[in-house]
Each structure stands twice: as structure tokens, then as C-alpha cells.
Amino acid sequence: MATYEECLRRNPRDALAYYSLSIIFVSTGTVKDGNLANVDVALRHLDGALAVQPFASALVQKASVQAAWKGDLLAARATLDRLAELLLAERTDDRTIYFLMWIALLEQNPQRALLASTLTTITYFEDNVVAEPVAWMKALAHQMAGRNNFAEEEWRAAEAVVRDRLQASPNSLTTQAELAVTLARLGRKEEAAQQFARYEATMREARRGVTPLHAHCYTAMGEVTKAVQVLAQARKNMANWATDHTLPRDPRWAALHGTPEFEALLAEAKK
């Protein structure tokens, strides 16, 4: 923080210093010091960056903060609409397309999510913030629209992508877990449980905490109690994928709706 603040003292038009400060105050994993007031500090820094120079990473970061931490999907959409000001090459990186799709799904707008997917030909989001098969998002969009056959085709496409990646890196725990999620979504739950076991055990032994892969796999396998326990812990840890605003709208957890455990978690989030 001191380094970036010194950068701004020397050059008040250092857009990247503003952007970096915003990440410190609200990262993708946790809000600094567990204080939600820092969300507004992060947004002010992002506004500082965008006043100097609009760029995709700052716009996407602002939209994700507005959606996940403020629950303001209208503001998030207005922020994403500003991407149109940029050159196409500047707004079609993996992270931007991921958040275009994710926020569209939070808006319950599957067609908008699928439209965003046409901006790229990649099959896997390669990014240090988001990494997963593109077909996962497309499958969730089709499911939301009631097109279950199309959704199954996307889960099958995801399986092919993940198996190729696993062949290239057979010891990748993350890829093994991604295959487990995909198999569970295809109804092959016994295979999924076997595939997920190593990731589950290793993360537990390393005390790495809960991840979206835990919640996604447990949800897909119908293990409601485990899934809700993970989501409750993630909410307590202030993870942006399990906030009071994203929990009820994220289609990854749609299968949990109506269960007593998940409804109790949602009730807690509304307090």
C-alpha cells in the first residue's frame, strides 16, 4: 500500500497504482481486514484508475466488485457496457469474457452469457484469477434457459477439454477436480467421487481451505450438506464467489435451492 501510495504521490495519473490499490482493498479472495467498508475504498481507487485511462482489467474488476460485494447488477452492467469503448483485442481476454458471462448469469440472462462466449474461440479460461473450461459457463447458461440437451453437450465438450489437459498434466490436482465436477454434472457421480478424492484429501491435509471446486463438485454430486458447509465457510471467509449477493443468484448452486440447509444459509445472508 505504501509503495502504491508513493507512486500516486509522485504521479497522480498512475492508473496502475490506483488499480493495484483496489486489488489490495478488495481481492477476489477476501475483503481486506474483513471490513466491507473497504469495498467502497476499492471502488474509489478503480474510479481513479478509470478517470485516467479506461482499460479492461479495471472495468472488469469494478463490475465484479459491484456485482459480488454491492449486489448492484445494474451498475455492474453499466460498467461492463463501457468495454465497448475499447478496441476488440483489449476486451476479449480470458478474464473479461469470464466475467461478462458470470455477471450475465447472475442477471439471469443466459442469452447474454452465450453471446459473450462467441467473442472467443478458446476452450479454457487461462487466467490467474479465473480458470475453468469455457463450456462450464455455456452449460449453465443453457440449463438456465431450459435447454438441457444443449447443456449436456457442453458438459461433454468440457469433459473432452479437461481430459486433454489431464493427459498433458496427469498430476494436476486442479484438473483432476475439474474432471470430477464435469463427470458429476453428467450424472456419473461414482466416477466423480473417485476422481475428486485426491484433490479433497490433499487440500484437507495442506489446510488450504475451501474452494469453488469443492462447492461445485459437492453440489453436482447432490451432497447438499457438504456443499452448504463449504459455501457457509466461504461466506465467512468473505470469498467473492459466496457473498450474500452471489449465493442466491449463481447458477452453480441452483440445485441447492429449496433444501433446508441452503435456505437457512440464504436466510442468514439476508440478516
Side-chain angles (χ1 to χ4, degrees):
M1 287 176 65
T3 299
Y4 292 125
E5 287 168 353
E6 176 63 14
C7 289
L8 288 175
R9 188 188 69 78
R10 293 172 181 240
N11 178 13
R13 293 185 58 77
D14 188 338
L16 289 178
Y18 280 118
Y19 174 70
S20 298
L21 278 169
S22 78
I23 293 173
I24 290 172
F25 279 94
V26 56
S27 73
T28 56
T30 184
V31 176
K32 182 180 177 294
D33 301 328
N35 184 353
L36 285 175
N38 284 311
V39 171
D40 294 321
V41 178
L43 289 171
R44 286 197 295 272
H45 284 306
L46 285 165
D47 286 337
L50 293 169
V52 175
Q53 178 187 350
F55 57 101
S57 295
L59 288 168
V60 167
Q61 173 79 351
K62 182 178 180 181
S64 66
V65 170
Q66 290 170 318
W69 293 109
K70 306 296 284 187
D72 193 341
L73 293 175
L74 289 177
R77 175 54 48 193
T79 299
L80 290 177
D81 286 346
R82 292 186 61 187
L83 288 166
E85 303 168 12
L86 308 180
L87 295 174
L88 183 62
E90 298 176 22
R91 51 187 165 90
T92 52
D93 61 283
D94 291 12
R95 189 182 305 180
T96 298
I97 293 172
Y98 174 93
F99 280 106
L100 281 169
M101 295 182 74
W102 185 59
I103 290 173
L105 292 176
L106 292 180
E107 294 173 306
Q108 313 296 297
N109 192 327
Q111 290 307 116
R112 181 176 278 164
L114 291 168
L115 183 62
S117 75
T118 65
L119 296 173
T120 186
T121 58
I122 63 167
T123 59
Y124 190 92
F125 292 119
E126 299 271 10
D127 185 82
N128 64 343
V129 172
V130 293
E132 65 177 53
V134 177
W136 279 8
M137 286 283 198
K138 295 168 71 174
L140 291 170
H142 282 303
Q143 282 182 315
M144 185 178 287
R147 295 188 291 265
N148 292 328
N149 288 332
F150 283 94
E152 184 170 348
E153 288 304 309
E154 293 297 344
W155 292 121
R156 292 189 186 282
E159 181 185 0
V161 168
V162 175
R163 286 196 183 279
D164 283 346
R165 292 175 64 83
L166 196 57
Q167 187 171 10
S169 301
N171 292 320
S172 170
L173 286 173
T174 297
T175 310
Q176 291 172 13
E178 288 171 341
L179 179 57
V181 169
T182 308
L183 292 172
R185 286 290 187 175
L186 286 166
R188 292 148 62 184
K189 296 181 182 181
E190 188 171 326
E191 288 179 72
Q194 293 173 352
Q195 190 67 47
F196 197 62
R198 183 171 171 233
Y199 177 87
E200 188 178 39
T202 303
M203 294 296 282
R204 182 172 57 249
E205 290 173 5
R207 298 184 179 179
R208 292 283 299 276
V210 297
T211 69
L213 287 169
H214 284 102
H216 199 165
C217 196
Y218 293 147
T219 299
M221 289 195 294
E223 296 189 22
V224 174
T225 300
K226 282 187 176 182
V228 173
Q229 285 174 343
V230 168
L231 291 170
Q233 185 60 52
R235 175 177 174 266
K236 182 179 178 181
N237 294 346
M238 306 188 83
N240 76 334
W241 48 273
T243 72
D244 292 352
H245 304 293
T246 61
L247 279 172
R249 304 188 70 86
D250 194 318
R252 286 176 293 184
W253 328 132
L256 301 175
H257 285 265
T259 64
E261 297 99 324
F262 190 68
E263 294 304 321
L265 180 60
L266 294 184
E268 181 67 25
K270 292 177 182 177
K271 291 182 181 178

